[in-house]
Amino acid sequence: MRLYFCRLILHDNVFFATREMGELYETGNYLHNWALSYAFFADEFISSPYSCLGESAQTPSYLKNVRERSLLALNQEGIYLFPGKPILWSYQINTFKAAQTNYYAKVEKFGEGSASKNYPANIGRAKELAIGSIYHSFLVIEEDKKLPSFIARKAEQIWIRLGKWSSKVKVEVVPITNFRQKTGRFICHHPVNPLDLGPRVRVLLYDRVVMCPCSLLSTAEMEGEYWEINSNVFSPEPVFLPCHVGYGYGGTE
């Protein structure tokens, strides 16, 4: 198994609507691993649909094997990416207003009270993760699988696009060599996706991070096989991560 540490540095404001409260659209401070996986691998390993019409345009296909844009393709490639843990973050709140583009059109509200369709309101405030915020994540690749192109060419940093605004994020990639596999109880301070944990990992206690499309677990006490990672590059203390992770229990053993 090959492990890589990823440090993400925001070079644009990042926005995704974790919570919608009236006119306020708030971005949570964690980065979901499914969103990160699309940002990292959509062009290389996840096929894109030729067109989106009908039901396929309205429903997500994260774990549907019969649909394109499915994350299950990464299981076949032996690749798994953990969620982004906030290390240093701040917010910026921007007010937006939308209007009709027709020159002679009478001004109408898009959403709410008198609206004829389920459009959002014309005006609102977006609470966005600000430039300079820093996140940590970990990338797992099976030993005998094809390496992603940026790993194969030993790139020390790459750029990805993330969030509703396709914001620019720099990713620094560092290979991890000092780790070993153990079995027993451990506390994982890095966020994990419960839908991606294998059946041989048992979750005992956790803090819940509510977000879409599925909530994450933080500071979770678990039992099973795990990796103990020692590296002063990202933490003076050992980091514990669960083994046997894969998108939708797919597993990357």
Side-chain angles (χ1 to χ4, degrees):
M1 194 65 70
R2 289 169 286 199
L3 294 179
Y4 297 86
F5 164 70
C6 301
R7 178 185 287 114
L8 292 82
I9 305 170
L10 274 54
H11 280 240
D12 282 328
N13 285 358
V14 171
F15 170 69
F16 49 90
T18 306
R19 287 172 288 275
E20 299 180 3
M21 297 171 286
E23 295 179 351
L24 176 64
Y25 301 82
E26 184 180 33
T27 304
N29 60 337
Y30 282 78
L31 300 180
H32 203 284
N33 68 315
W34 291 359
L36 285 178
S37 299
Y38 283 114
F40 271 69
F41 305 112
D43 295 334
E44 190 170 1
F45 294 111
I46 303 172
S47 61
S48 299
Y50 184 75
S51 64
C52 287
L53 297 174
E55 183 182 355
S56 62
Q58 301 295 328
T59 57
S61 57
Y62 304 114
L63 302 176
K64 294 183 179 179
N65 212 10
V66 296
R67 295 269 300 278
E68 295 174 309
R69 301 284 290 175
S70 172
L71 291 169
L72 298 179
L74 295 178
N75 288 343
Q76 299 172 4
E77 301 293 340
I79 294 173
Y80 184 77
L81 186 63
F82 280 88
K85 178 182 179 181
I87 304 300
L88 175 66
W89 74 99
S90 58
Y91 284 105
Q92 181 174 339
I93 297 179
N94 293 317
T95 301
F96 64 85
K97 182 179 180 182
Q100 290 83 359
T101 56
N102 296 338
Y103 185 73
Y104 294 106
K106 180 183 177 182
V107 177
E108 297 177 352
K109 293 184 70 175
F110 288 167
E112 298 181 329
S114 59
S116 57
K117 295 184 178 180
N118 185 26
Y119 288 156
N122 297 50
I123 191 169
R125 291 181 298 161
K127 184 178 178 181
E128 305 168 346
L129 289 167
I131 296 173
S133 299
I134 298 175
Y135 287 80
H136 287 179
S137 183
F138 293 92
L139 173 63
V140 183
I141 306 174
E142 287 185 33
E143 196 67 41
D144 56 344
K145 295 291 186 179
K146 175 186 175 184
L147 291 172
S149 58
F150 65 90
I151 297 292
R153 67 173 186 269
K154 298 181 180 179
E156 295 182 353
Q157 67 178 42
I158 60 172
W159 294 88
I160 61 173
R161 294 282 182 176
L162 190 66
K164 295 284 188 181
W165 311 146
S166 293
S167 306
K168 190 164 64 174
V169 178
K170 184 171 79 171
V171 183
E172 298 172 352
V173 184
V174 180
I176 299 172
T177 55
N178 189 9
F179 69 93
R180 54 182 176 173
Q181 188 167 329
K182 291 185 172 182
T183 303
R185 285 196 178 191
F186 63 99
I187 296 179
C188 179
H189 292 282
H190 195 86
V192 296
N193 187 336
L195 296 186
D196 294 343
L197 295 177
R200 283 185 280 178
V201 177
R202 195 158 68 100
V203 180
L204 305 174
L205 294 171
Y206 58 86
D207 293 331
R208 185 182 177 194
V209 181
V210 179
M211 63 188 309
C212 292
C214 65
S215 297
L216 304 178
L217 308 182
S218 175
T219 319
E221 183 178 358
M222 305 183 197
E223 188 174 32
E225 295 182 349
Y226 64 95
W227 292 301
E228 179 184 305
I229 303 171
N230 293 283
S231 175
N232 291 326
V233 174
F234 48 87
S235 173
E237 303 293 331
V239 174
F240 305 112
L241 294 175
C243 300
H244 313 297
V245 287
Y247 300 93
Y249 294 109
T252 55
E253 299 181 356

